[in-house]
Amino acid sequence: MHSMQKVLIADSGATKTDWCLTSGGEILRRFTSKGISPVFQTQEEIAEELKLHVFPVLKNQTIDAIYFYGTGCIPEKIQSVKNALSQSFPIHTIEVYSDLIAAAHSLCEHQPGIACILGTGSNSCEWSGTEIVKQISPLGFILGDEGSGAHLGKLLVGNALKNQLSEGLKEKLLEEYALTPAVIIDKVYRQPFPSRFLASLSPFIMQHIEDASIRRIVEMCFSDFFERNVMQYDYQKNNVNFVGSIAFHYADFLKKVASEKGIHIGKIVQSPMEGLIEYYK
């Protein structure tokens, strides 16, 4: 009798990679390693990371297929990730996809729908059930990334420094994160990874969500996300589904803003992994 295929699924963000070895929907092994990003790492660096931290955990396992999903897995970078993976795992089936496809596979599976990511950055697409049929470019946190942690943080510091927050909140923010206006300018305009810095301020928003000036930021952030992205897709016919920490933690606000715009929300999950396990069952 043909035994169940052992499938290794990876979901890689900027900071960590979630690995899951599954067979017929059952989890055999699950662990995390450092984030793998072909935009910031060479093929050699990725291969080294896999050899040191991923292969040793799995070396006694038979693996039939690997499905790797990651940020920065744009078409021109896919081959280098495949090559790096095949150095540690010389098997026939290795597929590499973007994090947006991870969202689509996880949230919509083989059905049409709209898949969105709201994390440090944001992204979205309309999914046919087999492929992306339309995608509005996220444009990054300076020009876009509406609905993301970076966008929330950008609105928060901008409003704080322009004295648009309720009494005392600006001082609280600066004190809690040991910031000054000069440090903020430096972190946003001169240091690497400004979007990560901005997204790291999101807990402050959650902490003060009862405040009207803070709630206004959250609603504006999601309203922009829907209007500038989702409403360009066929949203009347499709459910809009979300993956990512911002979507998960601010789900109530997301639903409220969506219903005001006549948008139907489907799933909201923190990580795509559960849906991916289901997808390869």
Side-chain angles (χ1 to χ4, degrees), residues 58-122:
L58 299 163
K59 63 174 182 286
N60 305 325
Q61 301 278 1
T62 339
I63 296 170
D64 300 300
I66 298 176
Y67 299 101
F68 184 96
Y69 296 87
T71 51
C73 290
I74 46 180
E76 53 273 31
K77 298 285 184 188
I78 282 177
Q79 198 53 52
S80 76
V81 179
K82 267 190 188 173
N83 295 346
L85 282 161
S86 60
Q87 283 181 39
S88 277
F89 305 98
I91 59 174
H92 178 64
T93 307
I94 297 179
E95 299 289 345
V96 176
Y97 300 104
S98 70
D99 55 348
L100 191 54
I101 300 267
H105 282 172
S106 172
L107 297 164
C108 307
E109 296 191 31
H110 303 283
Q111 302 300 316
I114 293 166
C116 310
I117 302 172
L118 297 187
T120 300
S122 70

Side-chain angles (χ1 to χ4, degrees), residues 44 64 77 95 111 133 147 183 192 204 213 242 244-246 252:
E44 292 69 38
D64 300 300
K77 298 285 184 188
E95 299 289 345
Q111 302 300 316
V133 283
V183 168
F204 184 87
S213 67
F242 290 88
S245 54
I246 296 294
D252 293 347

Side-chain angles (χ1 to χ4, degrees), residues 47-271:
E48 185 71 2
E49 170 67 23
L50 293 165
K51 194 176 84 189
L52 292 177
H53 302 290
V54 180
F55 179 71
V57 184
L58 299 163
K59 63 174 182 286
N60 305 325
Q61 301 278 1
T62 339
I63 296 170
D64 300 300
I66 298 176
Y67 299 101
F68 184 96
Y69 296 87
T71 51
C73 290
I74 46 180
E76 53 273 31
K77 298 285 184 188
I78 282 177
Q79 198 53 52
S80 76
V81 179
K82 267 190 188 173
N83 295 346
L85 282 161
S86 60
Q87 283 181 39
S88 277
F89 305 98
I91 59 174
H92 178 64
T93 307
I94 297 179
E95 299 289 345
V96 176
Y97 300 104
S98 70
D99 55 348
L100 191 54
I101 300 267
H105 282 172
S106 172
L107 297 164
C108 307
E109 296 191 31
H110 303 283
Q111 302 300 316
I114 293 166
C116 310
I117 302 172
L118 297 187
T120 300
S122 70
N123 208 342
S124 65
C125 70
E126 188 173 326
W127 179 252
S128 70
T130 50
E131 61 181 354
I132 291 175
V133 283
K134 189 172 184 187
Q135 184 201 357
I136 305 299
S137 172
L139 297 177
F141 83 103
I142 294 179
L143 300 175
D145 266 358
E146 303 86 5
S148 68
H151 189 228
L152 280 170
K154 183 172 87 163
L155 293 172
L156 176 69
V157 290
N159 282 7
L161 297 182
K162 288 188 183 277
N163 307 312
Q164 303 298 303
L165 299 182
S166 302
E167 187 85 37
L169 279 183
K170 171 187 175 176
E171 294 69 26
K172 228 175 178 168
L173 174 71
L174 297 178
E175 189 187 355
E176 206 167 303
Y177 289 86
L179 297 170
T180 62
V183 168
I184 291 171
I185 297 296
D186 186 60
K187 282 183 183 287
V188 173
Y189 290 100
R190 300 189 191 93
Q191 301 287 332
F193 306 117
S195 61
R196 282 188 209 171
F197 159 68
L198 291 168
S200 76
L201 305 172
S202 163
F204 184 87
I205 293 179
M206 195 41 101
Q207 228 175 304
H208 298 281
I209 201 75
E210 295 307 311
D211 181 273
S213 67
I214 295 287
R215 203 173 302 141
R216 211 163 32 241
I217 289 174
V218 176
E219 292 182 358
M220 182 175 144
C221 180
F222 293 152
S223 179
D224 280 354
F225 176 74
F226 286 125
E227 286 178 13
R228 293 160 67 89
N229 303 282
V230 173
M231 292 172 89
Q232 298 190 61
Y233 306 132
D234 193 353
Y235 72 95
Q236 274 115 337
K237 247 182 37 200
N238 289 298
N239 271 349
V240 183
N241 307 284
F242 290 88
V243 66
S245 54
I246 296 294
F248 185 76
H249 291 297
Y250 292 89
D252 293 347
F253 291 92
L254 209 47
K255 289 174 184 162
K256 176 179 182 282
V257 176
S259 78
E260 286 163 6
K261 298 181 188 302
I263 292 168
H264 302 285
I265 302 270
K267 298 177 192 160
I268 300 179
V269 297
Q270 190 161 9
S271 142

